[in-house]
Amino acid sequence: MSTRNNNFGSVGESNYLARQILTYATIAAFVAMIAVLAWKGRGESTSPETSKDAKISVTPTQIESVREIGQWEFLTIDVEELADTTSTRLLGSDRKLTRIYYGTLRLGIDLSEAPSDWVKMDGDTVDVTLPRVTLLDKDFIDEARTKAFYESGTWDQQAREALYQQARRKMLARCLTTENIHIAQLNAVEQMTTLFEAMGYPYVDVHF
């Protein structure tokens, strides 16, 4: 899921369909890979009687294949932020610096942080425990797109860095909210459920 805004500090939805297509294409590719590995692992020694009485289980190969996805993004937020600072001098006119910053915050999970038993069977249900949703990339401001909205006087690098950090804090406060984390969690549950159901497991329980 992706969100985008055209006003400073606001967030709106866009590119949702394209990202969903990409997500499900990725899921399909992993399911195909896992299916091939599982088929090879069965060999020709499995008899019809064994197949009939076999219990559903999650193989280490399947677990490792899913874990190799690594970081999985479930919500993308594109945001603009205006930050400014003013310096008052005893002699002469005041200085002011106003800049526009653009950032892309990606919320998701890192499967390398999942516990060792993050996927296990509970009867006929696959129990999936995911690591917490977090910010995947801490360097989310695109400095190449930063624009000077207004600038008077001379400013050193320290002042510009302070303004950058001001914009970064505003973006985090605006986007890393309980609501957005909840949306990312819902997307994670939906996509993980789709993945394991496509692998042939009829019941899937996903939680954090």
Side-chain angles (χ1 to χ4, degrees):
M1 183 176 181
S2 172
T3 57
R4 183 179 298 275
N5 70 295
N6 294 318
N7 299 317
F8 299 125
S10 65
V11 177
E13 296 185 356
S14 76
N15 296 330
Y16 177 78
L17 180 59
R19 291 185 182 277
Q20 287 296 93
I21 292 174
L22 179 61
T23 296
Y24 287 111
T26 302
I27 291 175
F30 272 100
V31 169
M33 178 184 68
I34 292 171
V36 170
L37 292 172
W39 179 80
K40 288 183 178 179
R42 289 194 183 100
E44 297 181 356
S45 60
T46 303
S47 65
E49 291 77 16
T50 302
S51 298
K52 181 178 180 181
D53 297 330
K55 294 182 179 180
I56 298 176
S57 63
V58 181
T59 68
T61 299
Q62 291 172 325
I63 296 175
E64 186 61 27
S65 296
V66 177
R67 186 190 287 272
E68 286 177 357
I69 296 173
Q71 289 189 344
W72 197 331
E73 177 183 333
F74 294 112
L75 182 67
T76 301
I77 306 170
D78 292 338
V79 63
E80 302 172 11
E81 193 67 61
L82 186 147
D84 60 4
T85 184
T86 302
S87 175
T88 302
R89 296 184 291 183
L90 294 177
L91 299 175
S93 59
D94 292 347
R95 295 180 302 157
K96 185 171 184 178
L97 178 63
T98 305
R99 310 193 87 185
I100 303 172
Y101 296 86
Y102 298 86
T104 301
L105 287 79
R106 298 165 48 241
L107 304 186
I109 62 173
D110 188 343
L111 288 175
S112 67
E113 299 178 355
S116 58
D117 60 345
W118 71 285
V119 178
K120 56 186 177 181
M121 292 302 303
D122 182 11
D124 58 356
T125 300
V126 177
D127 186 273
V128 182
T129 303
L130 299 179
R132 65 187 182 90
V133 170
T134 188
L135 182 66
L136 296 179
D137 184 3
K138 295 182 179 180
D139 297 324
F140 51 82
I141 292 182
D142 186 353
E143 295 188 66
R145 296 178 61 198
T146 299
K147 297 178 181 179
F149 184 76
Y150 180 83
E151 184 172 350
S152 63
T154 303
W155 298 87
D156 58 19
Q157 185 57 37
Q158 183 178 358
R160 296 177 187 276
E161 175 64 20
L163 200 62
Y164 172 93
Q165 294 298 333
Q166 178 192 142
R168 187 178 186 280
R169 289 192 297 271
K170 287 183 177 181
M171 288 181 180
L172 286 172
R174 190 174 301 279
C175 301
L176 203 58
T177 62
T178 301
E179 179 182 3
N180 284 339
I181 290 174
H182 181 62
I183 293 173
Q185 289 177 331
L186 292 177
N187 290 340
V189 170
E190 177 186 356
Q191 293 178 28
M192 279 292 176
T193 300
T194 299
L195 174 61
F196 280 95
E197 286 179 346
M199 288 164 58
Y201 301 100
Y203 305 105
V204 184
D205 181 19
V206 181
H207 49 89
F208 297 84

